[in-house]
Amino acid sequence: MHRRRHQRGNRARICDRFRLKQARISFYSSFSSGGVSAEARNPTGPGYNVPIAERVRRDSGITIRVVGLIVTPKQAEAIIAEGKADMVAMARAMLDDPHWGWHAARALGAEVKRPNQYLRSGPAVWPGAAMRD
Ligand SMILES: Cc1cc2nc3c(=O)[nH]c(=O)nc-3n(C[C@H](O)[C@H](O)[C@H](O)COP(=O)(O)O)c2cc1C
């Protein structure tokens, strides 16, 4: 009885997702522990929300974005590559380095297009880019 109700629930969820897909609506849930003020004391372990996000992603099939002490390009890449989340977000790492995306691309062997005003500091034309730690 309980099992049948559970199966019906799953079927309803699959239908809902199918309808959302048909309607071309993208739907995702974002995983944050809500550290909304400077006084908030979030956990200090790297990627502390990742295990929770991974489980919700696996059990629900919903597209998941995860945030919480994701800092390095390799760490962010691994979360996606290992299928633990569909997207990563970062708050403090981006405040610390507003060009995090550019630097991450370079660290992972790629380059993203920069606005014209920033072209002269790109790795292709600026030797200083290779001197960064
Ligand atoms: C300036 C700032 C503003 C934030 N605003 C919100 C917010 O409005 N709602 C929310 O749920 N979390 C907010 N957060 C918390 C982040 O979403 C995130 O959970 C937290 O900062 C941990 O991620 P991080 O290690 O990448 O900073 C904010 C964080 C910062 C630093």
Side-chain angles (χ1 to χ4, degrees), residues 31-37 42 48-49 67-71 89-93 95:
F31 245 90
S32 159
S33 305
V36 290
S37 83
N42 286 341
Y48 55 82
N49 281 322
V67 69
L69 219 54
I70 298 166
V71 178
M90 54 255 324
R92 292 167 294 180
L95 288 178

Side-chain angles (χ1 to χ4, degrees), residues 24-43:
R24 293 176 187 265
I25 293 170
S26 79
F27 178 60
Y28 72 90
S29 179
S30 193
F31 245 90
S32 159
S33 305
V36 290
S37 83
E39 283 73 42
R41 290 288 166 262
N42 286 341

Side-chain angles (χ1 to χ4, degrees), residues 48-61:
Y48 55 82
N49 281 322
V50 173
I52 312 168
E54 182 181 12
R55 187 164 171 202
V56 172
R57 182 177 187 265
R58 190 183 57 231
D59 291 354
S60 70

Side-chain angles (χ1 to χ4, degrees), residues 5-6 9 19-20 24 27 29 40 47 67 75-77 94 98 124 127:
R5 216 181 307 139
H6 180 69
R19 276 194 217 108
L20 285 169
R24 293 176 187 265
F27 178 60
S29 179
V67 69
Q75 179 196 10
E77 179 72 4
M94 280 283 185

